[in-house]
């Protein structure tokens, strides 16, 4: 990177990560790390300390924000009951520990019933409020009637209302109370819930199809592998199950983000790449932080360059994930092709406009597309004790790097030792970077999936930076990769719109066809006599 040598070499500690959301609805989102500001107001991007954050943090945003108002309005379209299920705190021991209530959303409105072996569509809840994921997974709701399916959205433990120990404060108190927040426990929750639900409805023979996006997509794929008797298949959208250890290049995420901008405008890419040095240069001047505060219309005086850099990087990475071809309000109210609009703003500034002024105009597309924001807040979970940070510091260790040549971000390499130190400082816990691949696999994934797996759809859009850690090749006849060149983060799980491009309509049609195939095979094996639309999904064909 052109300005790499200008970064300060004085600090080896990372202060904070900028958080993103996968995956959801979610997954959520990536953490970009920048070092602590030095006395000279400079910093160096050294390494990514924690795993990427997906989209879950947006599910707990202030409900009074205008973009969340739209979220709740959208929920009204989907009719469901909210129920609670008493779960064991630890599924893998026989200790007498307190139970907790797991929230789940359920709709039987279109279910064909147990006697007809009506299927059950179960969405694997992500790292956030389950209603937010339900609101942003219209695909499941829309195809359920044609299959005569029940819809179930269980919430992930330690998120939303599904808090052990009675409250978030107690659940997040320390390493001892957080120790039950793992993917393994969450999958056991889903399995116990659906098994109990089917038993209570005398629906033990009803087939279950799993769905999930981002981290939820990872859970759906892992649940299909770990509990093959619980479901007949899984749609894992934007699920980076390979983003562990050294399975994929660690720089793939930021390279894809950068390419998303470069494909729109090389000058836009170059402006953003040059902006990090420009940020440092201005901050080193007398009253430089005050000038940056005014330039970026911040709500409070800027304390260091790191927090502003985090804020900018968050916008770029989020934009890459939600670079949808139509307007959306998934994370923020955004126009269609939002990166194109960002680059139009950056490139369209009058001659003589500074690099940082151009960048401010560009990120306004993400942070203030509606024009309603008077000033910008940089704070994001100042206590750093959210659930995903714990998961990242224990088993979800996803190395990320930024290359000096291909990335528009400051260059850095993942440093596990520093990452481990930070996790011990924050949580008094040591990460286990090889546990996920031991538990669920990942190494030699093509051979392992082909040998031991079946009926999984891995869907990815190549504009999505998480596609770099996902399965993007067909593994077998029943484990298939559906890739789209123009797709962003699990766009196929979103509700259908009149603006959907043909490639998206075709992708969803293929997914429906594969789900129909799974169900038909199951029904034939059971010798079942079913309603025509349940067996074939006829109505789904017309979507």
């Amino acid at each position: 990177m052109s300005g790499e040598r200008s970064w300060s070499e004085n600090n080896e500690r990372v202060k904070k990560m900028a958080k993103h959301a996968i995956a959801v609805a979610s997954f959520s989102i990536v953490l970009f790390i920048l070092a602590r500001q030095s006395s000279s107001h400079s910093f160096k991007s050294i390494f990514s300390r924690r795993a990427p954050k997906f989209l879950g943090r947006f599910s707990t945003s202030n409900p009074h924000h205008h973009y969340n108002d739209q979220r709740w309005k959208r929920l009204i379209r989907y009719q469901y009951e909210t129920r609670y299920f008493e779960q064991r705190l630890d599924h893998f021991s026989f200790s007498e520990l307190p139970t907790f209530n797991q929230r789940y959303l359920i709709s039987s409105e279109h279910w064909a019933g147990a006697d007809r072996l009506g299927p059950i569509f179960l969405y694997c809840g992500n790292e956030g409020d389950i209603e937010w994921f339900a609101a942003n997974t219209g695909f499941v709701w829309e195809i359920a009637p044609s299959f005569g399916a029940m819809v179930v959205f269980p919430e992930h433990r330690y998120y939303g209302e599904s808090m052990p120990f009675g409250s978030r404060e107690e659940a997040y108190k320390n390493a001892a109370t957080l120790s039950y927040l793992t993917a393994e426990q969450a999958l056991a929750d889903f399995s116990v819930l659906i098994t109990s639900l089917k038993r209570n409805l005398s629906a033990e023979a009803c087939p279950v199809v799993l769905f999930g996006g981002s981290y939820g997509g990872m859970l759906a794929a892992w649940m299909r592998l770990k509990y093959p008797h619980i479901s007949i298949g899984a749609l894992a959208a934007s699920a980076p199950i390979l983003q562990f250890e050294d399975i994929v290049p660690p720089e793939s995420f930021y390279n894809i983000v950068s390419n998303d901008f470069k494909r729109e405008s090389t000058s836009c890419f170059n402006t953003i790449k040059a902006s990090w040095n420009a940020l440092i240069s201005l901050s080193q001047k007398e009253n430089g932080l005050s000038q940056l505060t005014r330039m970026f219309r911040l709500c409070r005086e800027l304390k260091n360059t790191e927090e502003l850099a985090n804020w900018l990087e968050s916008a770029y990475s989020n934009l890459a994930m939600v670079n949808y071809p139509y307007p959306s309000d998934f994370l923020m109210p955004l126009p269609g092709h939002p990166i194109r609009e960002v680059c139009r703003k950056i490139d369209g500034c009058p001659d003589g406009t500074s690099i940082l002024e151009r960048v401010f105009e560009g990120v306004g597309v993400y942070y203030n597309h509606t024009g309603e924001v008077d000033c910008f807040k940089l704070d994001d979970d100042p206590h750093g004790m959210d659930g995903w940070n714990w998961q990242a510091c224990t088993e979800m260790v996803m190395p990320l790097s930024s290359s000096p040549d291909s990335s528009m971000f400051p260059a850095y390499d993942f440093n596990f030792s520093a990452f481990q130190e930070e996790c011990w400082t924050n949580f008094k816990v040591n990460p286990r970077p090889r546990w996920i691949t031991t538990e669920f696999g990942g190494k030699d994934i093509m051979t392992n999936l082909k040998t031991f797996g079946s009926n999984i759809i891995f869907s990815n859009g190549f504009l999505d930076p998480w596609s770099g850690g996902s399965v993007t090749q067909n593994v077998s006849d029943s484990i298939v990769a559906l890739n789209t060149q123009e797709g962003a983060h699990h766009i196929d799980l979103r509700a259908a719109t009149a603006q959907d491009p043909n490639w998206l309509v075709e992708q969803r049609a293929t997914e429906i066809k594969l789900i129909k195939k799974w169900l038909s095979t199951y029904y034939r094996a059971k010798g079942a006599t079913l309603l025509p639309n349940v067996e074939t999904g006829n109505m789904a064909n017309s979507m």
Side-chain angles (χ1 to χ4, degrees):
M1 183 172 183
S2 60
E4 185 179 8
R5 291 192 181 126
S6 69
W7 304 104
S8 167
E9 297 291 340
N10 296 331
N11 297 299
E12 297 299 325
R13 296 289 309 275
V14 171
K15 179 182 177 183
K16 177 185 174 185
M17 296 172 296
K19 302 176 181 69
H20 307 276
I22 359 317
V24 104
S26 90
F27 267 291
S28 336
I29 288 196
V30 71
L31 296 174
F32 181 75
I33 313 307
L34 294 168
R36 178 175 297 172
Q37 181 189 9
S38 72
S39 58
S40 64
H41 303 303
S42 61
F43 60 86
K44 178 183 177 181
S45 173
I46 306 176
F47 40 68
S48 176
R49 281 229 169 163
R50 289 206 192 130
K53 179 120 181 176
F54 299 104
L55 304 176
R57 75 179 176 89
F58 294 92
S59 70
T60 55
S61 299
N62 187 336
H64 300 296
H65 289 178
H66 56 87
Y67 50 88
N68 280 333
D69 289 341
Q70 295 300 316
R71 175 187 78 179
W72 299 119
K73 289 178 183 177
R74 208 164 43 241
L75 272 173
I76 297 174
R77 296 191 308 175
Y78 308 132
Q79 301 300 316
Y80 57 83
E81 297 178 55
T82 301
R83 298 181 186 174
Y84 297 86
F85 180 78
E86 187 176 8
Q87 284 283 10
R88 293 180 60 90
L89 183 61
D90 185 359
H91 293 284
F92 306 109
S93 79
F94 291 88
S95 302
E96 289 300 321
L97 297 171
T99 59
F100 72 97
N101 287 327
Q102 179 185 22
R103 178 170 58 155
Y104 66 100
L105 316 179
I106 183 170
S107 173
S108 302
E109 181 182 1
H110 302 289
W111 190 39
D115 57 333
R116 302 271 190 180
L117 299 189
I120 300 172
F121 289 172
L122 185 143
Y123 181 92
C124 296
N126 302 45
E127 71 290 16
D129 190 302
I130 193 59
E131 288 193 304
W132 186 73
F133 295 109
N136 286 284
T137 313
F139 177 70
V140 174
W141 298 99
E142 290 169 355
I143 68 172
S146 65
F147 285 98
M150 177 190 296
V151 176
V152 183
F153 275 77
E155 190 164 60
H156 195 298
R157 57 170 54 202
Y158 286 81
Y159 294 104
E161 295 182 11
S162 300
M163 288 293 167
F165 303 105
S167 69
R168 187 182 190 278
E169 290 69 27
E170 288 298 315
Y172 285 43
K173 191 174 183 179
N174 52 45
T177 58
L178 278 166
S179 64
Y180 306 100
L181 172 50
T182 67
E184 296 83 0
Q185 297 283 6
L187 293 182
D189 287 341
F190 299 157
S191 300
V192 170
L193 169 64
I194 197 65
T195 300
S196 176
L197 182 64
K198 290 172 69 174
R199 183 172 60 250
N200 291 338
L201 295 171
S202 299
E204 288 92 338
C206 291
V208 175
V209 178
L210 304 174
F211 297 82
S214 199
Y215 173 48
M218 298 164 74
L219 292 173
W222 288 339
M223 185 169 172
R224 173 62 187 153
L225 295 171
K226 195 73 173 177
Y227 298 96
H229 57 288
I230 297 293
S231 68
I232 65 167
L235 169 54
S238 300
I241 64 169
L242 305 182
Q243 195 76 49
F244 296 93
E245 294 189 69
D246 57 354
I247 300 174
V248 298
E251 64 272 12
S252 61
F253 183 97
Y254 285 114
N255 282 352
I256 294 174
V257 175
S258 301
N259 288 336
D260 286 354
F261 282 81
K262 197 170 189 177
R263 71 195 289 268
E264 295 295 347
S265 165
T266 301
S267 61
C268 175
F269 169 93
N270 289 333
T271 297
I272 294 172
K273 188 166 185 174
S275 69
W276 311 108
N277 280 340
L279 178 61
I280 292 299
S281 179
L282 180 53
S283 72
Q284 291 175 334
K285 296 180 179 179
E286 185 177 359
N287 298 321
L289 293 179
S290 295
Q291 292 183 56
L292 288 169
T293 299
R294 292 190 298 272
M295 180 183 296
F296 285 89
R297 287 172 45 193
L298 305 181
C299 296
R300 61 164 176 79
E301 189 72 13
L302 188 64
K303 297 177 182 178
N304 54 58
T305 48
E306 173 204 347
E307 56 184 349
L308 179 56
N310 284 343
W311 185 74
L312 292 170
E313 188 277 337
S314 294
Y316 303 141
S317 296
N318 294 350
L319 283 160
M321 280 183 276
V322 295
N323 194 23
Y324 300 136
Y326 49 72
S328 70
D329 61 355
F330 189 22
L331 304 184
M332 296 283 194
L334 292 172
H337 301 286
I339 288 181
R340 183 175 302 167
E341 183 65 14
V342 169
C343 287
R344 189 184 69 81
K345 290 281 189 179
I346 289 176
D347 292 342
C349 290
D351 292 342
T353 305
S354 72
I355 289 175
L356 292 179
E357 288 171 330
R358 289 176 184 272
V359 163
F360 174 71
E361 288 298 316
V363 297
V365 172
Y366 181 75
Y367 287 115
N368 192 23
H369 179 56
T370 62
E372 299 175 10
V373 179
D374 296 323
C375 64
F376 299 100
K377 297 180 180 180
L378 303 183
D379 304 284
D380 182 4
D381 188 27
H383 303 294
M385 289 291 287
D386 66 334
W388 186 257
N389 279 349
W390 166 266
Q391 290 188 259
C393 268
T394 50
E395 59 182 5
M396 304 298 289
V397 181
M398 298 181 173
L400 291 185
S401 297
S402 179
S403 99
D405 299 320
S406 304
S407 175
M408 67 183 189
F409 299 100
Y412 69 91
D413 293 318
F414 180 74
N415 184 316
F416 179 75
S417 296
F419 170 73
Q420 185 177 35
E421 179 185 345
E422 188 78 4
C423 290
W424 182 258
T425 299
N426 288 342
F427 296 105
K428 296 297 183 288
V429 67
N430 285 313
R432 297 173 63 186
R434 294 179 178 84
W435 175 242
I436 284 293
T437 54
T438 300
E439 177 76 1
F440 302 115
K443 299 282 188 179
D444 194 16
I445 190 69
M446 301 296 285
T447 300
N448 292 338
L449 282 178
K450 187 173 184 178
T451 304
F452 302 108
S454 65
N455 292 3
I456 304 175
I457 302 168
F458 291 101
S459 64
N460 284 283
F462 288 146
L463 296 184
D464 178 17
W466 291 115
S467 64
S470 302
V471 177
T472 55
Q473 298 180 43
N474 289 342
V475 176
S476 66
D477 291 341
S478 68
I479 300 182
V480 300
L482 299 182
N483 304 316
T484 55
Q485 292 295 326
E486 299 296 315
H489 204 50
H490 51 64
I491 187 174
D492 51 321
L493 291 185
R494 295 180 58 76
T497 74
Q499 299 163 291
D500 289 344
N502 290 335
W503 57 261
L504 179 55
V505 175
E506 293 170 1
Q507 180 183 16
R508 290 186 179 130
T510 301
E511 292 169 352
I512 291 169
K513 182 178 179 180
L514 289 168
I515 294 169
K516 285 166 52 180
K517 182 179 179 181
W518 300 341
L519 288 168
S520 296
T521 300
Y522 177 83
Y523 292 142
R524 284 196 300 271
K526 300 292 288 186
T529 302
L530 302 159
L531 291 173
N533 69 315
V534 178
E535 185 175 12
T536 65
N538 284 336
M539 291 176 62
N541 284 333
S542 63
M543 292 185 62

